[in-house]
Amino acid sequence: MDILEAQDVTHAATGDRTAFYRLLHRAGVFPPDAPSTIRAFTAGQGQLSVAEMIDRYEIACKPVRDLLVDNLCERQPALDYTSLSAVSRVLGSLFWRNLETHHPGINSLRLPAEVASAWKTRHRTKTTTTRSPDGSTVSVTSPRESARSDLATVRAFYLDLAQWAAEDPAHWGPWAAPSPVTSAEANQKKHQRRVKAKIDQRTRERLPALPLLVSASQRNRLQAAAVLAAARQAEPGTVFSVDGQTLFRPVLKSASGAKIWAQELEAPRTAVRAARRDLTHEDHTAFWAWAAIEVLRHTGIRIEELCELSHHSLIQYRLPTTGELVPLLQIAPSKTDQERLILVTPELADVLSRIMMRVRDSNGIVASVAAYDPHERVWNPPMPLLFQHRIGIENRAMHPTCLLKYLGQALASAGLTDASGEPLTMQPHDFRRIFITDAVMNRMPPHIAQLVAGHRVIDTTMGYLAVYPREVIEAHRAFIARRRATRPGEEYRTPTDEEWDSFLGHFERRKLSIGTCDRAFSTPCTHEHACLRCAMLRPDPAERPRLVEIRDNLIDRIAEAKREGWLGEVEGLETSLAGAEDKLAQMDAATARTATAVDLGMPGFTQIAGRASDT
């Protein structure tokens, strides 16, 4: 039997045109290093080389093309495949290919000021083509959200060349040139603050909705399982009831495998197939939506880490002091290339046990499946993954897009809405932010949360933290309570009538002949009521004639004291005279400020409120 015959036979038996490859692989027809699934031969999969990444953009200047290839090859060991591909797109397409399109024949990285300015202006926006309802294409120009980070990538490219030129002048020296992007243009602090504020608000809005989503997903799972179980007990062509629903299980003309179908009793029995409900799929969707929500909210792991959880991820640790076994969940290296361990709570243990019971075969074994990594564009070796489902005769790993679809259906069934009244949406990463925020709010030390989340630096963990304003208020009130506890209690007792009258009388005694005393309540007068010498006296410009009279009187008294030989009084009178001159200067300054002030007037209603009227 050749390959085509095997394909026809297996397709007729299973309905899956790719089942023949798996059967032949199990039979040992292929060599040991052959992929376990025929999907590994799908076109477009596999990593591109650095040269292939750059050649996607058809750069005309070969020396610059070779330079970009060399630069990326130099940086390749420190970057994962996704980051390397993103950098190649910025440098190859958004930067140099854009320059060649608008400046044909350009062949130097030393850009004139007008060329660099024009490129940065073009890069701030992007044009997308959409199709209007009438079928015509429309070009829409919008701001480019990644513009500032792209500028930072171009600046890093120039700085790398300058540094490498000092180390290897022969190779990199001819390409060293001033960067067309300044440090201020590449600074992303302001943009990052805006993004964090937006994400924090998103987290605060979804955190209260999480318990409702959990309850709804649990209810959907139990209800879908109950309906499926009742349908399996019912014979085809009969009516059955469960959870207030009355359904009819139709008689199918052709076999449908392991699927169980049903339709509403009110629908005609000859209704088209599209009106039927696939109860097997409903149970499948409800279960995996519940499983994904529970694992994500109890662990705070990334969605790619969730899809890579396997039977081998469950390990045990025996405490050396008590000998107690502690269940742990081992998270495989993903984004940070660091594995970590997460404590399995009883709730999480229940979820994981239900998942394993569902994916085990009749022999109690979790099948090993090969999963495709869309970020690294490689096939991982077969593993007993927990998040897998059966398609045809093949077990396949669940893709993040599939779980995202199930999550959207769970949100829709829960009927949750956001602040604007629109249906609430959640991404898998929202559960990670909620997990970190909830952990720190419940007094988990941030450096421990960093280790649990798998962040390299604690600043990343703090960026995920969205503390509620009420937490700040409560912490501040607790601080005030602690401070009051350390101060004398009599300071916070109810004042007596005499004390209250004394407090009010203080403000009555502030009025003086030439101004107002700004001395605080219950503080002594440092100048023994010699107000001219006191800095706390705020002079009133309206009392300037009185102060002038006092100043002239002081001058006469000083002259009399000197004439009579009363030298002991001269020094005190001169101090009072200096205070009077200072207060006169303050009055004149206040009068000058008032004279130069511009009266804007009181705006009318038509100036502060826009309104439309018919002529």
Side-chain angles (χ1 to χ4, degrees), residues 512-550:
L512 303 174
S513 61
I514 57 176
T516 304
C517 178
D518 285 351
R519 177 166 49 91
F521 171 72
S522 190
T523 56
C525 179
T526 57
H527 293 100
E528 298 179 357
H529 303 285
C531 298
L532 285 179
R533 307 180 183 183
C534 183
M536 300 304 297
L537 172 64
R538 183 178 295 275
D540 184 3
E543 302 296 336
R544 191 178 191 282
R546 184 184 301 276
L547 185 56
V548 170
E549 181 180 353
I550 294 175

Side-chain angles (χ1 to χ4, degrees), residues 120-318:
K120 287 182 283 189
T121 301
R122 293 192 302 267
H123 187 70
R124 292 191 187 100
T125 59
K126 63 178 180 179
T127 302
T128 56
T129 302
T130 59
R131 188 172 296 276
S132 59
D134 58 0
S136 60
T137 57
V138 179
S139 297
V140 179
T141 301
S142 59
R144 189 186 301 273
E145 295 183 1
S146 62
R148 192 169 290 273
S149 62
D150 295 341
L151 293 181
T153 301
V154 174
R155 178 173 173 80
F157 168 68
Y158 273 84
L159 295 181
D160 285 342
L161 294 181
Q163 180 179 352
W164 298 343
E167 301 172 357
D168 189 359
H171 184 66
W172 305 104
W175 295 103
S179 172
V181 181
T182 63
S183 59
E185 292 172 330
N187 191 340
Q188 303 185 60
K189 291 184 178 179
K190 186 175 181 180
H191 174 71
Q192 290 172 350
R193 286 195 294 267
R194 291 179 178 177
V195 171
K196 175 170 170 52
K198 183 178 180 180
I199 293 179
D200 287 353
Q201 180 59 28
R202 178 185 177 92
T203 303
R204 297 188 188 106
E205 191 175 48
R206 281 153 180 77
L207 183 55
L210 182 59
L212 301 178
L213 176 61
V214 172
S215 300
S217 64
Q218 171 76 347
R219 183 172 59 253
N220 292 341
R221 178 183 71 88
L222 297 177
Q223 183 178 13
V227 173
L228 180 60
R232 282 177 175 164
Q233 297 296 327
E235 294 293 332
T238 61
V239 177
F240 63 97
S241 299
V242 58
D243 286 343
Q245 303 181 56
T246 304
L247 302 175
F248 170 74
R249 183 174 180 183
V251 179
L252 303 178
K253 294 181 179 180
S254 59
S256 59
K259 291 189 175 182
I260 304 296
W261 297 83
Q263 63 186 54
E264 300 293 338
L265 184 62
E266 290 76 7
R269 298 188 179 184
T270 58
V272 295
R273 183 175 179 179
R276 296 171 182 161
R277 292 171 51 184
D278 186 352
L279 300 183
T280 308
H281 181 69
E282 290 181 5
D283 174 71
H284 172 86
T285 301
F287 177 84
W288 289 111
W290 168 81
I293 291 172
E294 290 294 321
V295 175
L296 288 174
R297 79 181 184 96
H298 282 298
T299 61
I301 60 178
R302 305 177 180 90
I303 183 62
E304 59 269 20
E305 296 171 341
L306 174 76
C307 294
E308 294 176 0
L309 287 179
S310 69
H311 196 184
H312 302 325
S313 299
L314 295 172
I315 61 176
Q316 293 179 343
Y317 172 72
R318 187 179 297 275

Side-chain angles (χ1 to χ4, degrees), residues 205-217 219 293 407-426 431:
E205 191 175 48
R206 281 153 180 77
L207 183 55
L210 182 59
L212 301 178
L213 176 61
V214 172
S215 300
S217 64
R219 183 172 59 253
I293 291 172
L407 175 60
Q409 294 175 357
L411 284 166
S413 64
L416 300 175
T417 58
D418 56 17
S420 61
E422 297 294 328
L424 186 70
T425 60
M426 288 187 71
F431 292 92

Side-chain angles (χ1 to χ4, degrees), residues 284 288 359 366-369 383-390 395-398:
H284 172 86
W288 289 111
V359 299
V366 178
S368 295
V369 297
M383 293 285 292
L385 300 179
L386 298 182
F387 282 80
Q388 60 173 280
H389 53 173
R390 193 170 186 84
N395 285 9
R396 296 185 182 180
M398 287 189 180

Side-chain angles (χ1 to χ4, degrees), residues 532-533 551 554 558 571-586:
L532 285 179
R533 307 180 183 183
R551 180 200 59 182
L554 287 172
I558 292 174
E571 184 177 359
L573 293 173
E574 288 180 346
T575 301
S576 298
L577 178 61
E581 296 288 354
D582 180 64
K583 298 298 184 290
L584 283 173
Q586 294 180 27

Side-chain angles (χ1 to χ4, degrees), residues 79-141:
L79 298 176
D80 57 24
Y81 181 82
T82 303
S83 302
L84 188 67
S85 179
V87 174
S88 69
R89 174 178 173 271
V90 173
L91 298 181
S93 175
L94 301 182
F95 175 57
W96 191 256
R97 182 58 184 168
N98 186 285
L99 289 174
E100 288 188 340
T101 302
H102 294 84
H103 306 280
I106 188 172
N107 58 5
S108 174
L109 295 181
R110 191 176 295 272
L111 304 181
E114 60 276 9
V115 173
S117 177
W119 168 72
K120 287 182 283 189
T121 301
R122 293 192 302 267
H123 187 70
R124 292 191 187 100
T125 59
K126 63 178 180 179
T127 302
T128 56
T129 302
T130 59
R131 188 172 296 276
S132 59
D134 58 0
S136 60
T137 57
V138 179
S139 297
V140 179
T141 301

Side-chain angles (χ1 to χ4, degrees), residues 474-484:
E474 291 177 0
H476 193 193
R477 293 181 63 185
F479 163 74
I480 295 176
R482 291 192 301 269
R483 186 178 63 180
R484 286 179 175 177

